Amino acid sequence: SLAVRADGTVVGWGENDFGQTDPPAGLTNVTAVAAGWGTSLALKPDGTLTEWGWDGGYGLQSTAASLTNITAISACWDCLLALTREGGVVVWGKSTHGETNVPAGLTGVKAIAGGGYHCLALNGDGTIVAWGDNSQGQLDIPVGLSNVKGISAGGYHSLALRQDGTVAAWGDDSSGQTNVPLDLGTIVAVSGGYLHSLALKSTGSIAAWGDNSFGQTNVPSSLTNVLAIAAGGYHNLALTGSRAP
């Protein structure tokens, strides 16, 4: 797990076999982080990146250090994603299922999401582009899906948040992770784990569905005033405050 403190420093905890929870000395002024499998990525307000942890000979660190004008980041299991200020997408690392093969002509993107072996991009017009592994239909965007304002990619499934606060899900449903509950209410954010899904309600509470083999859908009953969520492989994180999101 990774977190950005209010002072712009990063803290990590959990499995550390590649040093992925040990931010480089002197890393400060960070605005966002992304955690992949054994690799970690940080974004600074000047649009530059820092990567640490697993590299695997795929140039994760050197490529990250060479990029500029970046506005958002995400991670697959073995590759990293960045959104440029111009609305372009860069993906680098191991391309097990073509994750680094960004579709030609992809421009005007306003959000990105990395899953297990697949990637999602949200266009400025509210439509989605997907590439990479499609073994479980995670690239099969529902016909007519539009007016999307948020996306997330799980292990082998994908999530989309519409402008009206409703959620669409597709791909692997072996644990019910794409079986979106009917009584969610208005949703303001979604996040996909390996085999489960999370949704943040406008009231500041969380809904979770899918695999629960490690209690990852057992949302604590006392959890309120949640501002942001993140789903890991088999665990979840919630950032709380004194108000609804």
Side-chain angles (χ1 to χ4, degrees), residues 11-105:
V11 59
W13 64 98
E15 186 172 353
N16 197 35
D17 49 349
F18 297 101
Q20 63 265 41
T21 67
D22 297 327
L27 181 63
T28 59
N29 204 27
V30 172
T31 58
V33 288
W37 178 84
T39 183
S40 300
L41 188 64
L43 171 65
K44 294 186 176 184
D46 63 359
T48 61
L49 304 176
T50 299
E51 188 274 348
W52 65 98
W54 180 79
D55 187 87
Y58 294 98
L60 294 177
Q61 294 179 14
S62 60
T63 301
S66 70
L67 296 176
T68 58
N69 294 319
I70 301 303
T71 60
I73 54 176
S74 187
C76 291
W77 284 340
D78 47 16
C79 65
L80 299 170
L81 298 79
L83 177 63
T84 69
R85 199 175 307 279
E86 298 76 24
V89 178
V90 181
V91 185
W92 68 102
K94 187 177 181 180
S95 192
T96 308
H97 297 277
E99 303 97 305
T100 63
N101 298 332
V102 180

Side-chain angles (χ1 to χ4, degrees), residues 76-226:
C76 291
W77 284 340
D78 47 16
C79 65
L80 299 170
L81 298 79
L83 177 63
T84 69
R85 199 175 307 279
E86 298 76 24
V89 178
V90 181
V91 185
W92 68 102
K94 187 177 181 180
S95 192
T96 308
H97 297 277
E99 303 97 305
T100 63
N101 298 332
V102 180
L106 185 60
T107 60
V109 174
K110 65 178 183 179
I112 52 176
Y117 296 114
H118 71 291
C119 304
L120 302 178
L122 176 60
N123 291 318
D125 63 0
T127 61
I128 299 173
V129 177
W131 66 96
D133 177 37
N134 195 36
S135 59
Q136 302 297 323
Q138 59 267 51
L139 306 187
D140 296 337
I141 302 166
V143 176
L145 180 61
S146 60
N147 296 318
V148 174
K149 66 176 181 178
I151 52 176
S152 184
Y156 294 94
H157 70 290
S158 302
L159 301 169
L161 175 63
R162 301 183 183 92
Q163 290 285 352
D164 63 2
T166 60
V167 177
W170 62 98
D172 179 27
D173 194 40
S174 59
S175 296
Q177 61 267 49
T178 64
N179 187 16
V180 181
L182 298 177
D183 56 348
L184 285 181
T186 302
I187 301 302
V188 297
V190 290
S191 187
Y194 177 42
L195 296 170
H196 71 287
S197 302
L198 295 182
L200 175 57
K201 299 182 180 182
S202 60
T203 56
S205 60
I206 296 175
W209 61 97
D211 178 48
N212 195 38
S213 55
F214 293 93
Q216 60 268 50
T217 64
N218 294 338
V219 182
S221 59
S222 60
L223 187 57
T224 59
N225 297 323
V226 176

